[in-house]
């Protein structure tokens, strides 16, 4: 073995300098397979450009196509190989994939103990996928023929009978076949036995050859915009043993060392705040001893304003970190950091850098996510009025977005019957267009909190419920936050009034319009679904159609959710009082009724069972309750305790009935004794209602919280909680930042002002992988350029969006793509998360401006 050959390292992946080749360090999980981060993966000169290596059943697998379950994984150090056993339960089909180091290449082989089942013959193959944004426009060769990988998906396709399509997740269908009974199957761009991709780019060049199988190259974007380039070899029929063998050689640039990533705040710094850049370095790189802060003077010339030594922090996962502290520079101006021959982009030091940090989110992102409205901005229409035909009662069903309708509807409506009045108000969940009731409750609460704590009078948006029209940048005399509270409340009150309790969600009936990208108004046809008509047929009066595209209301009763809604309604009625008195009254009526009914139902149910399955939606107001996050495994017990306590506090705030405060007081100290960080925000939220004795009793816990804050300086170089889940930890970071701000507001002597900048620095660019702002924020010199929003197919973003941020891939890789928007775990802003950001940003501004 030569020094620069592939070897199996301690973290169980193959490594050469410049190349990491992972074999099922990350598994497929089923259901949300657009994650594109499983199977055999290659991190090529620092960028994860190849993934999805596995036995697959489609030429270009989509999200919701079946994925293999990994039933075994063996790492054999003596032989230098990793073997995984894969299984498709639906087809009783087992295979093994063996990856072995072969000098500068690896061999990937598929082994079968039994032949491919008949149903999958010609369909099952060895696949691996290449990130389009890193490969398009690059040259390739196949058996000596030249080509260039396409920027746009324009290869050829055929259609085949639906009966030949391998089953999709839970039997759902990703496509609308327009009544033809046929599905689209892409044809290869090229095929042959030796393929080299990116011959013109040493960082991406990779050679794949096979003597026993034909290699076919496909463009996955033909079926779905989030598809990757797919290389594939069909497994032969009737054979066992080693059936397909590939030799894969990713090019490694000799002596390659990753460029340093200099993390700093892209919006800049106010003069008196701490200013510390964190420099992320390849472990093979010798850190420099110092760096300079350069000032660009009015004549455009750069001068050194400061030179300082670097402090070593140490290693964190795969990189090495040093810090550059230039806090002593306080003179307003335009600056950049010079580290060796690397010059960062410029940023400001100025009193006003934080002034506009919430404006893009409140003026642009939030109004664009208003459902059931036409949203206009200047010459541009963001979307027409969606879902004009309203919502049908969901039948008992499973659902692709993890909702379910139980055996009964729990309503007076029959399955598929129109539930009147639900197509009003509410906010799109995230990159999708459903109304998650739990999230929408959080959203209204976040707006109410913002309103009550900071009283923002900002009016940049015209909202007419009567015209169902929103116009951005057109003031209408009403503070926008009030209009957002009203808009959220309108949908939630309608749910309570029409259904009798809260729906779990208002969502798509069919998968083939759930993945919609484009104008929300075109998701459904706006006509009532009439099963008497044939699909695609329209009634003579044009009001009904036979296309089953109407949205569904999932109505299984969840008293915990009703209780949360009741709490929110009480607060909303107070916030709306004097602005929309009628809605305020309706909200209060529903609050009282739901509170009473939910309390009674919960009492009955807790007598029946201690296993409280229904509590999935029970969540504290700060949390983001999207499906993706619902899968995070926070302890249910903790959430419930938090919920009860926070709810009592909110109820006291809404009703001023003292028994709620007494209940809160009975819970809070126990909760803090158990866990200070988890309960600090709720404890701080109580302060406006409490006396000095409460504040005094809370003080030692705040002191503990301050030492908890400090501990992050030892955990990682960035001093914030960094999440390692399959949804990046942006929300946890925001919650942390918000709590730190409130702790400082109430206990400035315990939690000093310098702490409030930790999360701001992180969000605005001081983080691993790259130094772009995770928030598309006004004032940032380099905001992220792409987000997973509903306009993601345009490789764009909606201003004010907040990305979940830094996604961890096992065992040691962090990433945030900024040229590929389709990975929700790192790039999808949500309505609950982005309204949480408004609270964080408002608190930060308030502290900075009051000094
Ligand atoms: Ca959703
Ligand atoms: Ca307004
Ligand atoms: Ca319809």
């Amino acid at each position: 073995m030569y020094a620069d050959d592939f070897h199996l390292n301690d973290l169980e992946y193959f490594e050469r300098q410049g190349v990491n080749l992972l074999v099922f360090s990350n598994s497929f999980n089923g259901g949300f397979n657009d994650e594109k981060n499983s199977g055999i993966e290659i991190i090529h000169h620092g960028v994860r450009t190849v993934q999805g290596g596995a036995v697959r059943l489609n030429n270009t697998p989509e999200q919701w196509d079946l994925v293999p379950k990994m039933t075994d994984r063996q790492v054999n150090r003596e032989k230098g190989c990793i073997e995984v056993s894969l299984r498709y339960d639906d087809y009783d089909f087992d295979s093994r994939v063996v990856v072995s180091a072969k000098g500068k290449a690896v061999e990937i082989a598929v082994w079968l103990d039994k032949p491919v089942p008949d149903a999958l013959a010609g369909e099952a193959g060895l696949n691996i996928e290449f990130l389009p944004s890193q490969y398009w426009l690059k040259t390739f060769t196949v058996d000596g023929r030249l080509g260039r990988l396409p920027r746009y998906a324009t290869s050829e396709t055929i259609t085949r009978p639906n009966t030949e399509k391998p089953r999709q997740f839970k039997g759902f269908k990703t496509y609308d076949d327009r009544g033809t009974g046929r599905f689209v199957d892409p044809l290869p761009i090229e095929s042959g036995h030796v393929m080299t991709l990116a011959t013109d780019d040493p960082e991406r060049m990779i050679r794949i050859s096979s003597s026993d199988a034909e290699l076919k190259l496909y463009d996955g974007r033909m079926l779905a915009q989030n598809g990757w380039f797919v290389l594939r070899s069909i497994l032969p029929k009737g054979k066992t043993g080693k059936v397909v063998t590939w030799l894969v050689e990713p090019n490694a640039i000799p002596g390659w060392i990753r460029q340093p990533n200099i993390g700093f705040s892209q919006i800049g710094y106010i003069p008196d705040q701490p200013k510390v850049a964190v420099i992320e370095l390849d472990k093979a790189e010798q850190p420099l001893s110092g760096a300079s802060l350069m000032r660009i003077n009015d004549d455009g010339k750069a001068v050194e304003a400061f030179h300082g030594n670097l402090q070593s922090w140490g290693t964190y996962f795969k990189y090495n970190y040093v810090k550059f502290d230039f806090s002593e520079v306080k003179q307003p101006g335009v600056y950049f950091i010079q580290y060796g021959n690397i010059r960062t982009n410029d940023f400001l030091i100025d009193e006003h850098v934080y002034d506009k940090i919430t404006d893009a989110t409140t003026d642009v992102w939030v109004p664009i996510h208003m459902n059931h409205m036409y949203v206009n901005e200047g010459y541009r229409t963001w979307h027409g009025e969606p879902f004009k035909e309203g919502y049908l009662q969901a039948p008992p069903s499973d659902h692709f977005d993890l909702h379910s309708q139980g055996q009964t509807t729990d309503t007076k409506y029959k399955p598929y019957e129109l539930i009147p009045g639900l197509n009003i108000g509410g906010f799109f969940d995230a990159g999708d267009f459903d109304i998650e009731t739990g999230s929408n409750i959080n959203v209204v609460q976040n707006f109410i909190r913002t309103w009550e704590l900071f009283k923002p009078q900002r009016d940049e948006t015209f909202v007419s419920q009567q015209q169902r029209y929103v116009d951005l940048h057109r003031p209408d005399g009403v503070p926008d936050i009030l209009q957002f509270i009203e808009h959220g409340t309108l949908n939630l009150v309608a749910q309570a009034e029409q259904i009798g309790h809260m729906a779990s969600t208002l969502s798509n009936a069919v998968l083939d319009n759930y993945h919609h990208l484009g104008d929300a108004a075109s998701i459904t046809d706006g006509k009532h679904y009439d099963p008497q008509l044939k699909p695609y047929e329209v009634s003579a009066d044009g009001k009904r159609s036979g296309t089953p595209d109407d949205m569904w209301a999932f109505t299984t009763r969840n008293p915990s959710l009703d209780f949360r809604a009741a709490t929110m309604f009480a607060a909303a009625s107070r916030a709306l009082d004097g602005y929309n008195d009628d809605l305020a009254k309706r909200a209060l009526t529903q609050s009282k009724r739901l509170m009473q009914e939910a309390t009674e139902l919960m009492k009955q149910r807790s007598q029946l069972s201690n296993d409280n399955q229904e509590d999935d939606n029970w969540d504290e107001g700060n949390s983001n309750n999207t499906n993706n996050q619902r899968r995070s495994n926070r302890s249910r017990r903790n959430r419930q305790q938090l919920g009860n306590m926070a709810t009592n506090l909110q109820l006291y705030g809404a009703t001023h009935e003292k028994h709620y405060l007494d209940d809160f007081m009975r819970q809070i100290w126990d909760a803090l004794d158990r866990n200070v960080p988890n309960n600090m925000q709720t404890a701080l939220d109580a302060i406006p209602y409490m006396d000095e004795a409460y504040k005094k009793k809370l003080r030692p816990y705040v002191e503990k919280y301050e030492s908890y804050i400090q501990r992050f300086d030892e955990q990682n170089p960035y001093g914030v909680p960094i999440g390692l889940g399959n949804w990046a930890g942006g929300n946890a970071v925001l919650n942390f930042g918000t709590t730190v701000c409130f702790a400082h507001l109430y206990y400035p002597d315990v939690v000093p002002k310098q702490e409030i900048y930790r999360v701001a620095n992180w969000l605005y660019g001081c983080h691993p992988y790259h130094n772009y702002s995770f928030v598309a924020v006004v004032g940032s010199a380099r905001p992220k350029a792409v987000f997973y929003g509903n306009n993601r197919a345009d490789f764009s973003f909606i201003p004010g969006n907040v990305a979940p941020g830094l996604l961890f891939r096992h065992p040691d890789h962090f990433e945030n793509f900024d040229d590929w928007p389709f990975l929700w775990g790192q790039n999808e802003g949500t309505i609950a998360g982005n309204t949480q950001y408004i609270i964080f940003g408002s608190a930060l501004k308030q502290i900075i401006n009051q000094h």
Side-chain angles (χ1 to χ4, degrees):
M1 196 177 96
Y2 295 96
D4 58 348
D5 283 353
F6 269 117
H7 66 277
L8 249 177
N9 68 15
D10 293 344
L11 295 168
E12 299 190 344
Y13 62 78
F14 297 97
E15 189 173 14
R16 302 176 61 190
Q17 178 64 15
V19 187
N20 304 157
L21 194 143
L22 283 54
V23 181
F24 281 77
S25 296
N26 299 286
S27 278
F28 295 92
N29 68 28
F32 284 95
N33 297 316
D34 56 343
E35 286 161 288
K36 301 283 186 194
N37 54 22
S38 329
I40 298 168
E41 303 178 82
I42 298 175
I43 298 162
H44 204 179
H45 297 108
V47 183
R48 199 175 56 88
T49 51
V50 179
Q51 58 76 41
V55 172
R56 301 299 305 270
L57 310 182
N58 313 79
N59 290 335
T60 61
E62 292 173 70
Q63 184 177 9
W64 302 289
D65 278 322
L66 293 184
V67 291
K69 185 166 76 184
M70 187 181 74
T71 53
D72 192 27
R73 181 175 184 270
Q74 296 290 338
V75 178
N76 188 327
R77 293 195 174 278
E78 267 164 41
K79 290 188 188 161
C81 73
I82 300 177
E83 173 171 339
V84 291
S85 302
L86 303 178
R87 177 170 173 77
Y88 287 92
D89 282 328
D90 291 62
Y91 290 95
D92 188 23
F93 172 41
D94 294 287
S95 59
R96 288 179 285 128
V97 174
V98 182
V99 182
S100 329
K102 302 271 178 192
K104 293 178 173 47
V106 298
E107 181 190 279
I108 303 177
V110 179
W111 291 74
L112 296 179
D113 298 329
K114 285 192 286 182
V116 177
D118 287 347
L120 295 178
E123 310 293 338
L126 173 61
N127 285 25
I128 200 159
E129 307 196 353
F130 297 83
L131 178 61
S133 55
Q134 290 290 323
Y135 277 93
W136 61 39
L137 302 179
K138 304 214 167 130
T139 53
F140 67 92
T141 62
V142 179
D143 296 347
R145 295 184 298 279
L146 292 169
R148 192 177 291 282
L149 288 160
R151 174 63 184 84
Y152 308 103
T154 51
S155 55
E156 285 155 16
T157 60
I158 54 167
T159 64
R160 295 169 58 193
N162 285 342
T163 50
E164 293 179 11
K165 174 110 177 160
R167 192 171 181 263
Q168 296 191 288
F169 180 66
K170 291 185 179 178
F172 294 121
K173 250 172 75 184
T174 50
Y175 57 102
D176 173 1
D177 68 13
R178 305 309 295 175
T180 62
R182 300 178 73 84
F183 71 99
V184 174
D185 204 14
L187 294 174
I189 299 172
E190 255 290 11
S191 45
H193 287 276
V194 183
M195 237 179 237
T196 308
L197 304 183
T199 48
D200 55 347
D201 181 355
E203 289 204 357
R204 296 291 160 264
M205 187 162 77
I206 183 166
R207 183 175 185 273
I208 306 101
S209 60
S210 175
S211 51
D212 59 7
E214 187 177 38
L215 301 166
K216 297 179 180 203
L217 180 65
Y218 292 90
D219 190 337
R221 298 170 300 166
M222 296 300 291
L223 296 186
Q225 274 75 7
N226 61 357
W228 292 32
F229 293 125
V230 182
L231 191 71
R232 168 165 169 88
S233 289
I234 297 290
L235 307 188
K237 285 180 202 174
K239 281 200 177 171
T240 56
K242 193 179 188 183
V243 295
V244 168
T245 312
W246 286 356
L247 199 65
V248 176
E249 186 179 346
N251 184 53
I253 298 170
W256 178 85
I257 284 181
R258 182 174 177 264
Q259 275 272 92
N261 167 37
I262 302 173
F264 62 93
S265 170
Q266 291 283 352
I267 67 160
Y269 304 87
I270 57 170
D272 75 352
Q273 84 172 85
K275 307 172 197 72
V276 182
V278 179
I279 306 175
E280 182 179 66
L281 297 167
D282 198 312
K283 275 182 195 167
E285 170 144 6
Q286 188 62 39
L288 301 175
S289 62
S292 297
L293 188 73
M294 307 293 291
R295 183 169 55 243
I296 302 174
N297 287 332
D298 286 349
D299 61 3
K301 292 208 177 82
V303 295
E304 185 173 83
F306 174 79
H307 183 86
N309 289 334
L310 302 176
Q311 296 90 45
S312 170
W313 187 88
T315 57
Y316 179 64
F317 291 100
K318 69 162 77 153
Y319 298 124
N320 187 26
Y321 294 84
V322 296
K323 293 188 178 190
F324 173 47
D325 187 337
F326 52 96
S327 303
E328 68 181 63
V329 179
K330 296 180 194 301
Q331 184 186 330
V334 181
Y335 293 87
F336 62 89
I337 295 164
Q338 187 82 44
Y339 174 80
N341 55 12
I342 298 176
R343 171 190 172 154
T344 66
N345 63 270
D346 62 72
F347 56 88
L348 300 185
I349 294 179
D350 187 71
E351 282 302 337
H352 299 286
V353 299
Y354 292 100
D355 285 4
K356 300 180 193 310
I357 55 174
T358 60
D359 293 355
T361 309
T362 57
D363 297 0
V364 185
W365 198 91
V366 168
I368 287 170
H369 286 72
M370 291 169 89
N371 200 343
H372 306 118
M373 303 291 266
Y374 185 108
V375 179
N376 184 71
E377 179 182 20
Y379 290 7
R380 175 184 197 171
T381 291
W382 280 93
H383 58 80
E385 182 192 332
F387 315 127
K388 283 185 178 173
E389 68 267 68
Y391 295 80
L392 305 183
Q393 169 67 56
S397 59
D398 204 347
H399 191 258
F400 35 82
D401 201 16
L402 306 184
H403 308 298
S404 68
Q405 177 67 50
Q407 280 312 300
T408 58
T409 62
D410 295 345
T411 68
K412 63 184 178 190
Y413 303 98
K414 291 192 282 295
Y416 305 106
E417 189 178 344
L418 178 72
I419 303 177
L422 297 182
N423 54 332
I424 185 169
F427 295 91
F428 299 141
D429 180 27
D432 50 2
F433 302 90
D434 52 330
I435 290 188
E436 294 273 359
T437 299
S439 274
N440 269 261
I441 290 171
N442 285 349
V443 166
V444 175
Q445 275 167 338
N446 285 346
F447 284 134
I448 294 171
R449 258 183 103 191
T450 306
W451 178 244
E452 294 187 336
L453 287 164
F454 310 107
K455 290 276 180 297
Q457 300 298 314
R458 194 170 175 84
D459 171 24
E460 288 295 330
T461 310
F462 170 93
V463 180
S464 168
Q465 293 293 341
Q466 203 220 335
Q467 295 174 21
R468 298 214 166 201
Y469 196 94
V470 175
D471 198 13
L472 274 52
H473 318 302
R474 173 188 290 277
D476 61 1
V478 183
D480 299 336
I481 295 279
L482 264 185
Q483 289 167 315
F484 301 153
I485 295 170
E486 176 185 44
H487 194 70
T489 306
L490 276 168
N491 184 267
L492 297 166
V493 164
Q495 287 189 23
E497 289 176 345
Q498 302 295 341
I499 297 170
H501 55 269
M502 304 313 289
S504 64
T505 186
L506 308 179
S507 189
N508 305 63
V510 284
L511 178 54
D512 66 60
N513 69 18
Y514 170 70
H515 48 56
H516 180 87
L517 293 174
D519 185 340
S522 59
I523 294 173
T524 64
D525 61 9
K527 303 176 198 315
H528 294 290
Y529 171 52
D530 181 350
Q532 309 298 331
L533 298 167
K534 292 198 202 74
Y536 315 104
E537 190 185 353
V538 177
S539 64
D541 64 3
K543 289 184 177 160
R544 293 168 294 119
S545 86
T547 307
D549 65 2
D550 296 19
M551 302 282 278
W552 285 352
F554 291 80
T555 57
T556 302
R557 186 156 202 178
N558 176 350
S560 305
L561 188 64
D562 292 347
F563 201 81
R564 283 181 55 207
T567 312
M568 175 275 303
F569 284 144
S573 86
R574 203 171 22 139
L576 292 168
D577 186 34
Y579 165 59
N580 184 335
D581 291 338
D582 174 60
L583 186 60
K585 222 174 94 196
R586 287 164 61 202
L588 193 61
T589 303
Q590 294 308 319
S591 175
K592 287 179 175 160
R593 182 179 65 79
L594 284 181
M595 185 89 60
Q596 198 180 11
E597 292 181 16
T599 307
E600 187 56 37
L601 273 171
M602 284 194 288
K603 212 186 294 169
Q604 287 170 14
R605 290 190 188 187
S606 72
Q607 281 160 0
L608 281 173
S609 158
N610 286 327
D611 177 30
N612 210 340
Q613 289 291 330
E614 310 281 344
D615 258 0
D616 249 5
N617 269 322
W618 187 284
D619 220 351
E620 200 264 337
N622 292 336
S623 303
N624 175 349
N625 201 15
T626 67
N627 301 310
N628 306 315
Q629 288 219 324
R630 196 177 297 162
R631 293 187 291 165
S632 73
N633 48 5
R634 286 189 298 154
S635 123
R636 177 171 291 160
R637 169 192 283 262
N638 230 332
R639 274 190 286 168
Q640 186 163 3
Q641 282 157 351
L642 193 63
N644 286 327
M645 195 170 64
T647 305
N648 280 320
L649 186 65
Q650 286 161 7
L651 283 169
Y652 177 72
T655 63
H656 291 284
E657 289 174 24
K658 193 169 168 297
H659 63 101
Y660 291 124
L661 197 62
D662 296 342
D663 285 347
F664 169 81
M665 287 294 272
R666 266 195 292 278
Q667 293 167 303
I668 185 68
W669 306 113
D670 271 358
L672 285 166
D673 285 336
R674 268 196 314 274
N675 188 327
V676 169
N678 281 9
N679 297 299
M680 182 49 63
Q681 182 69 50
T682 307
L684 294 167
D685 287 343
I687 284 180
Y689 310 117
M690 298 292 184
D691 56 14
E692 274 305 308
Y694 175 86
K695 240 186 122 176
K696 203 171 154 201
K697 192 170 173 185
L698 186 58
R699 174 174 283 270
Y701 295 100
V702 180
E703 284 163 356
K704 272 191 196 159
Y705 190 74
E706 167 61 15
S707 60
Y708 163 81
I709 298 171
Q710 298 291 333
R711 279 212 297 278
F712 289 110
D713 291 330
E714 271 84 65
Q715 282 185 16
N716 63 65
Y718 297 93
V720 300
I722 297 177
L724 303 180
N726 76 339
W727 179 279
N731 257 72
V733 175
L734 268 181
N735 286 340
F736 171 71
T738 308
T739 305
V740 171
C741 282
F742 281 90
H744 168 75
L745 270 171
Y746 296 127
Y747 297 89
D749 58 322
V750 181
V751 176
K753 191 172 172 187
Q754 71 210 45
E755 307 286 17
I756 67 168
Y757 301 107
R758 287 174 183 263
V759 166
N761 289 337
W762 170 270
L763 286 177
Y764 302 137
C766 190
H767 50 68
Y769 196 71
H770 56 55
N771 62 10
Y772 312 150
S773 171
F774 286 142
V775 189
V777 61
V778 180
S780 166
R782 179 45 169 103
K784 268 177 63 60
V786 302
F787 287 73
Y788 181 111
N790 58 43
N791 62 344
R792 57 192 177 274
D794 305 324
F795 287 75
S796 184
F797 63 94
I798 298 176
N801 207 353
V802 185
L806 191 72
L807 189 72
F808 181 66
R809 305 318 309 149
H810 291 284
D812 64 351
H813 184 69
F814 284 108
E815 74 186 15
N816 179 277
F817 283 121
D818 199 46
D819 60 355
W820 189 251
F822 296 104
L823 301 178
W824 45 256
Q826 44 189 283
N827 279 330
E828 182 178 22
T830 65
I831 186 68
N834 287 1
T835 50
Q836 170 70 18
Y837 171 76
I838 295 170
I839 297 177
F840 166 75
S842 303
L844 191 71
K845 280 192 293 184
Q846 170 150 325
I847 294 166
I848 289 165
N849 293 333
Q850 77 185 4
H851 70 99

